[in-house]
Amino acid sequence: MAKKARGAGGTPATVALSAAGIAFEVRAYDHDPRATSYGLEAAEALDADPARVFKTLLASLDGSLVVGIVPVTGQLDLKALARALGGSKAVMAEVTAAERATGYVAGGISPVGQKRRHPTVLDASALEHDTILVSGGRRGFDLELAPADLVAITGAVTATIGR
């Protein structure tokens, strides 16, 4: 995969990946502002298996923000997320809190290049694929990379957190 630098269409995510020397491919598409499922829109627009396209969700775990990355075809299991991080109770974060903490807008939150690093869990199903797609930091802008590289740059743990 080619590395893409900040140049045309760069985001904090592409800058962070490039700085870390991680190979990735930009997968951009024309985002439809009427779309209600950004992840499924990405899978369709990029002609990608939806099982390889992952969404980045923020939750509040015992009062602190954490990140869960799950396939776009499923949902985040909040109890499993809490278990994976050794917490007791997780609830979905407010959209404004997620946007403020990451520096990205909802529907374009990347797990990479966030304003602050948050404890992160990648659904174990990602490891079944050579590469996966995640948001690159804005709607209509995905990044394709190896799951192991995503784990490395985010410090994620892997666990079954999707349902």
Side-chain angles (χ1 to χ4, degrees):
M1 274 180 281
K3 289 182 191 175
K4 302 285 184 179
R6 189 159 179 79
T11 65
T14 61
V15 171
L17 289 167
S18 294
I22 293 177
F24 65 96
E25 183 177 338
V26 169
R27 303 285 305 272
Y29 59 95
D30 290 328
H31 165 64
D32 180 351
R34 296 169 297 176
T36 56
S37 173
Y38 302 118
L40 292 176
E41 176 196 27
E44 184 176 324
L46 298 172
D47 194 27
D49 178 356
R52 288 184 49 238
V53 181
F54 284 69
K55 56 187 171 185
T56 304
L57 301 169
L58 271 80
S60 177
L61 175 61
D62 301 330
S64 297
L65 288 178
V66 298
V67 175
I69 308 167
V70 296
V72 300
T73 54
Q75 295 180 324
L76 176 61
D77 182 334
L78 291 166
K79 288 181 181 179
L81 177 66
R83 277 192 308 272
L85 292 172
S88 60
K89 181 173 179 162
V91 296
M92 291 304 298
E94 293 291 326
V95 172
T96 54
E99 291 176 338
R100 189 173 37 255
T102 63
Y104 295 119
V105 297
I109 294 177
S110 179
V112 180
Q114 296 179 1
K115 285 169 54 174
R116 289 188 305 275
R117 192 173 200 160
H118 299 92
T120 300
V121 182
L122 174 62
D123 187 73
S125 67
L127 303 177
E128 300 169 7
H129 308 285
D130 292 334
T131 61
I132 60 172
L133 290 95
V134 295
S135 176
R138 64 176 181 258
R139 297 171 189 155
F141 190 79
D142 276 23
L143 303 174
E144 183 174 354
L145 72 164
D149 288 336
L150 182 60
V151 166
I153 196 162
T154 60
V157 297
T158 56
T160 302
I161 59 165
R163 57 180 170 164

